[in-house]
Amino acid sequence: MSEQLVFQPSAAAIARTHVTKTQYESMYARSVSDPNGFWAEQAKRLDWVQFPTKIKNTSFAYPDVSIKWFEDGVLNVSYNCLDRHLETRGDQTAIVWEGDTPGTDGKATYRELHDRVCRFANVLKANGVKKGDRVTIYMPMVIDTAVAMLACTRIGAVHSVIFGGFSPDSIAGRVIDCGSKIILTADEGRRGGKTIALKKNVDEALAKTEGVEKVIVVKVTGNPVNMVEGRDIWYHDAVATVDADCPPEPMNAEDPLFILYTSGSTGKPKGVLHTTGGYLVYGSLTHQLSFDYRNGEVYWCTADVGWITGHTYIVYGPLANGATTLMFEGVPTYPDASRFWQVVEKHNVNIFHTAPTAIRSLMGAGSEYADKYPMPSLRLLGTVGEPINPEAWTWYRTHVGKDRCEIVDCWWQTETGGHMIAPFPGAIATKPGSATVPFFGVQPVVLSPEGRIQEQTKAEGVLAIKDSWPGQMRSIYGDHQRFVETYFTQYKGYYFTGDGCRRDEDGYYWITGRVDDVLNVSGHRLGTAEVESALVSHPKVSEAAVVGYPHDLKGQGIYCYVTLMAGEAGDDALKAELRTWVRKEIGPIATPDLIQFAPGLPKTRSGKIMRRILRKVAENDFGTLGDTSTLADPAVVNDLIENRQNR
Ligand code: 6R9
């Protein structure tokens, strides 16, 4: 082993592991040489109405990309997450809920959850929802949100969960794109002592869209909201009149399960489409093995269900495995920076999974918050969402894990459905900052920017994947061509991840971040094009270019270069106005950190904005701008440097 620090799995982790190092190696080899045999065996972890006889039928060959797994299998996701556990663990807690306000909590056993899901499903049916219909969910972190998702899967409806931080415009765009006729929401959400006006946002979104016939509103805070006669229904009223019995709809393994919108490098967010069988096999297997989950353990992933991590690793993976999964409504720093650790001790959490941005902000608040809590129940710590700097990794291990917990850094994407590169905790030694080695069936390749495959172990380039795995997205909803163009054209024959990476001499992968125009702000994906189009929709803005720059807490900050309409003055008041504008257009996560008014942007003679230069200036690294000979007007650059905002 080489490269700085290496941590071998602890004796305790080795003693309990589902997969030893030797098993990892032989199983990985088989998953690649005999995917049909390997995944047929793994599929047995689910209960099928009809077990598949066809396992893998996939092609990455441009332009006929097609991905099918278990294609003649029949199953139901909610059955696998609920019904099949009733006999053995009906009274076990399925979901522990911890509210935003300390002292508020709740829980649902598997039996209770099953009952709630069946009733919610009947409410959906009573409101006209049928198999294949798209259902938009814009809800906070409460148990009813998981219930709503599972209720959709019970009747074969396709959910599209929208993160509660997105704006009315973002909701409208997503509702229109998937043609959803029903929205499930709540009066308000709670986060960090504040309320979020979910219903009000839905009302504003619906003022801009047609086609939504029903809005079902769950009462969460109880504050008054506007209810539109004939369209809006209180959930508690609707549920009072339905039956508790709702048989699960038998679904084909390749029937759509959900759509989740995510940012890409161009255009509007894409509706990433996942299907039923492959997603659940992959999500449950990765949940069990990456965290070495054992029956009876309490597992807590701090993500929001509005993101893929919440889908796979709060709801579907854990529940398919009969786990106890914790849902947290709040934020890491409310009421103060010890909240996470209080919750870990209160609920005896064994496995804790969060994001580097949270780790960095808690580290920044001072180690004493974590040091005060011994957290004896903890045995494993996960990190996901962005590259973790070795300093934060080490802090996490020492101050949260007390040097006794395994650290599991999981690299994956909305598109991949589940973990792709992550250490098996009792098998794989870890190195701070590396997501380590591929999961079963995942064949990473490192390509040169020109697309040459780097055969030698030690290599650097862009990360692509050679062949399909069951959790892979199947398409972009309503636009298969865009799916093919986005992921399979740049490097023919491979799935292109959009990430850069380094592979060290031990074959460990180190993800270096996006190589396309996608920002990762506090673990949230954001296309620079989205922020740019929000900016240029402001009447005073003529042109905008947005780039990322290193930010201590957020990982990346949002740096905006803005050219104003003739005669407009770029002052602090306008900066504040533009910040509010972008928040309103997209949501608070897109709020610009730095805005620089620029009389002109650096362009090539053919009119292309030279982002490389803008990135360098934003990084305050303007000494090495590289080749500027193709610039149409070199004077522009001097002005940019002189007025740079990141000093
Ligand atoms: C799961 C999720 C995906 C992008 C991905 C990469 C970054 C996620 C990471 C990581 C380094 C990790 N990313 N996990 N980078 N190490 N462990 O976050 O999905 O929101 O689609 O973002 O996030 O850049 O391409 P998603």
Side-chain angles (χ1 to χ4, degrees), residues 300-345:
W300 178 18
C301 167
T302 70
D304 190 283
V305 288
W307 310 110
I308 190 68
T309 304
H311 283 55
T312 311
Y313 298 112
I314 294 178
V315 180
Y316 294 117
L319 295 179
N321 290 338
T324 297
T325 180
L326 193 151
M327 266 180 103
F328 177 47
E329 191 182 38
V331 298
T333 48
Y334 175 79
D336 68 31
S338 61
R339 185 69 196 278
F340 273 178
W341 322 133
Q342 287 170 6
V343 175
V344 166
E345 290 206 342

Side-chain angles (χ1 to χ4, degrees), residues 136 160 162 166 169-179 261 269 530:
T136 296
S160 160
I162 302 179
F166 278 123
D169 280 342
S170 300
I171 302 169
R174 286 157 170 79
V175 164
I176 293 167
D177 185 81
C178 73
Y261 287 87
E530 279 172 77

Side-chain angles (χ1 to χ4, degrees), residues 308-309 384-387 409-414 499 511 514 520 525:
I308 190 68
T309 304
V384 62
E386 50 178 318
D409 177 359
C410 318
W411 173 83
W412 61 296
Q413 310 177 298
T414 305
D499 280 328
I511 310 298
R514 302 290 303 198
N520 192 326
R525 271 168 74 163

Side-chain angles (χ1 to χ4, degrees), residues 444-448 452-461 501-509:
V445 288
V446 180
L447 303 175
S448 73
R452 248 177 304 107
I453 185 159
Q454 312 284 294
E455 300 283 1
Q456 69 286 11
T457 305
K458 198 172 165 165
E460 191 161 354
C501 91
R502 191 158 64 74
R503 186 169 57 210
D504 70 18
E505 50 273 58
D506 300 315
Y508 276 46
Y509 291 85

Side-chain angles (χ1 to χ4, degrees), residues 156-402:
V158 182
H159 62 67
S160 160
V161 181
I162 302 179
F163 172 57
F166 278 123
S167 66
D169 280 342
S170 300
I171 302 169
R174 286 157 170 79
V175 164
I176 293 167
D177 185 81
C178 73
S180 157
K181 289 189 281 212
I182 184 164
I183 302 185
L184 315 179
T185 189
D187 46 5
E188 293 178 317
R190 288 173 290 234
R191 248 171 88 85
K194 300 195 188 92
T195 54
I196 300 154
L198 298 172
K199 175 62 168 63
K200 185 166 161 276
N201 286 348
V202 167
D203 287 344
E204 279 177 39
L206 293 189
K208 301 173 190 192
T209 59
E210 278 165 22
V212 173
E213 294 158 8
K214 292 274 161 65
V215 178
I216 297 181
V217 188
V218 175
K219 189 173 264 188
V220 171
T221 64
N223 289 327
V225 290
N226 173 49
M227 296 292 280
V228 176
E229 184 76 41
R231 187 195 72 184
D232 300 351
I233 302 157
W234 282 110
Y235 178 68
H236 57 260
D237 289 339
V239 77
T241 59
V242 297
D243 211 77
D245 183 44
C246 178
E249 183 73 28
M251 302 295 287
N252 180 274
E254 281 302 337
D255 279 337
L257 178 63
F258 65 80
I259 301 165
L260 187 56
Y261 287 87
T262 191
S263 296
S265 52
T266 53
K268 56 185 170 65
K270 308 178 283 253
V272 168
L273 180 72
H274 282 286
T275 58
T276 303
Y279 172 80
L280 200 63
V281 168
Y282 198 75
S284 68
L285 183 67
T286 48
H287 170 260
Q288 184 181 26
L289 298 187
S290 298
F291 303 121
D292 199 26
Y293 187 83
R294 296 268 173 189
N295 287 341
E297 289 190 306
V298 179
Y299 161 88
W300 178 18
C301 167
T302 70
D304 190 283
V305 288
W307 310 110
I308 190 68
T309 304
H311 283 55
T312 311
Y313 298 112
I314 294 178
V315 180
Y316 294 117
L319 295 179
N321 290 338
T324 297
T325 180
L326 193 151
M327 266 180 103
F328 177 47
E329 191 182 38
V331 298
T333 48
Y334 175 79
D336 68 31
S338 61
R339 185 69 196 278
F340 273 178
W341 322 133
Q342 287 170 6
V343 175
V344 166
E345 290 206 342
K346 175 177 171 184
H347 297 289
N348 292 310
V349 171
N350 305 110
I351 300 164
F352 174 76
H353 191 27
T354 195
T357 184
I359 299 168
R360 284 191 301 266
S361 92
L362 295 173
M363 179 170 89
S367 304
E368 59 276 15
Y369 289 102
D371 291 346
K372 262 193 292 190
Y373 297 87
M375 298 183 272
S377 58
L378 273 187
R379 68 163 183 84
L380 187 145
L381 302 173
T383 164
V384 62
E386 50 178 318
I388 182 164
N389 44 315
E391 194 197 3
W393 193 105
T394 312
W395 183 88
Y396 196 30
R397 189 176 193 280
T398 308
H399 293 277
V400 182
K402 320 292 178 195

Side-chain angles (χ1 to χ4, degrees), residues 506-529:
D506 300 315
Y508 276 46
Y509 291 85
W510 301 71
I511 310 298
T512 50
R514 302 290 303 198
V515 295
D516 53 9
D517 290 320
V518 172
L519 305 179
N520 192 326
V521 181
S522 302
H524 304 321
R525 271 168 74 163
L526 205 55
T528 54

